[in-house]
Amino acid sequence: MVKVALFVRLEAKPGKEKEVENFLVSGLPIVNEEPDTTAWFGIRLGPSTFGIFDAFPDEAGRQAHLSGKVAAALMEKAGELFSEPPSIENVDVLAAKLPS
């Protein structure tokens, strides 16, 4: 069961859309190594707007992810790829359907 999540909104700099897409795709193998990242999605919301949605069983899992490799890479690349700092929102999961 997941109880908490993150929603991260990312706005690519002009001309950096493909690089942001590649960055998100490259994050999947890293988060696959995180036992408490129950669900992780790299998403595209519009031509230059991207996002990450990930869910965790508890606050400890969320905090472990925030101090992990993908979060570090995101902050390292922020100035290069994004027109504004990533918007990271803590959210509560009210209901979820996940594969068993």
Side-chain angles (χ1 to χ4, degrees):
M1 179 74 179
V2 294
K3 297 193 184 277
V4 298
L6 293 167
F7 177 69
V8 182
R9 191 176 192 91
L10 308 165
E11 190 63 40
K13 284 185 175 178
K16 296 288 187 176
E17 297 84 1
K18 187 64 175 169
E19 289 179 56
V20 172
E21 184 178 319
N22 291 340
F23 174 81
L24 291 173
V25 170
S26 73
L28 183 59
I30 298 167
V31 295
N32 278 337
E33 297 174 10
E34 298 177 353
D36 287 332
T37 301
T38 305
W40 185 90
F41 301 90
I43 57 176
R44 184 177 214 144
L45 299 164
S48 63
T49 306
F50 296 83
I52 299 169
F53 179 81
D54 35 18
F56 314 92
D58 53 32
E59 185 60 32
R62 179 162 58 188
Q63 291 306 314
H65 177 73
L66 285 170
S67 60
K69 293 178 184 177
V70 171
L74 181 69
M75 291 305 155
E76 181 181 314
K77 294 280 195 177
E80 175 188 336
L81 297 178
F82 309 120
S83 61
E84 54 195 59
S87 167
I88 302 172
E89 297 180 50
N90 289 340
V91 297
D92 294 326
V93 176
L94 302 178
K97 179 182 186 253
L98 298 170
S100 44

